[in-house]
Amino acid sequence: MTNFTVPIREHGRLNLPKRLREALGISDTGELVFTIRPDGVAEVVSAQTLAQRSTGLFSHLKVEDSETDAFIAERRAEADR
């Protein structure tokens, strides 16, 4: 585990050091999602990482293939030909 100290500037602004941005997988721009646990600990993750974690989260609930998915697959196959 790596610790980073980030000073809080005027109006609550933060300047994230390059090593921290790299560790979070973000560039100079992007969004961070802060989750505050009941014990006061903040968990921080990039919005992109959070979205990737959520991919397929509800896939186990899928009962059958949709007509839309079949249509899109058909169109992609035609485009590949």
Side-chain angles (χ1 to χ4, degrees):
M1 182 186 300
T2 305
N3 292 315
F4 295 93
T5 301
V6 178
I8 299 172
R9 308 254 188 241
E10 184 178 358
H11 304 290
R13 293 189 176 145
L14 304 173
N15 185 10
L16 303 180
K18 182 178 180 181
R19 285 185 33 222
L20 176 55
R21 293 192 312 271
E22 289 171 350
L24 290 169
I26 59 173
S27 60
D28 290 338
T29 62
E31 292 184 347
L32 296 175
V33 178
F34 288 76
T35 303
I36 310 301
R37 299 190 322 210
D39 61 0
V41 173
E43 296 175 346
V44 182
V45 65
S46 71
Q48 180 180 3
T49 299
L50 189 62
Q52 289 170 348
R53 284 185 192 168
S54 299
T55 302
L57 187 63
F58 299 103
S59 62
H60 66 284
L61 299 174
K62 186 175 182 180
V63 178
E64 60 186 57
D65 291 333
S66 74
E67 291 180 30
T68 303
D69 290 340
F71 178 77
I72 291 171
E74 182 180 310
R75 292 294 181 235
R76 287 182 179 158
E78 287 178 11
D80 288 340
R81 285 185 242 142

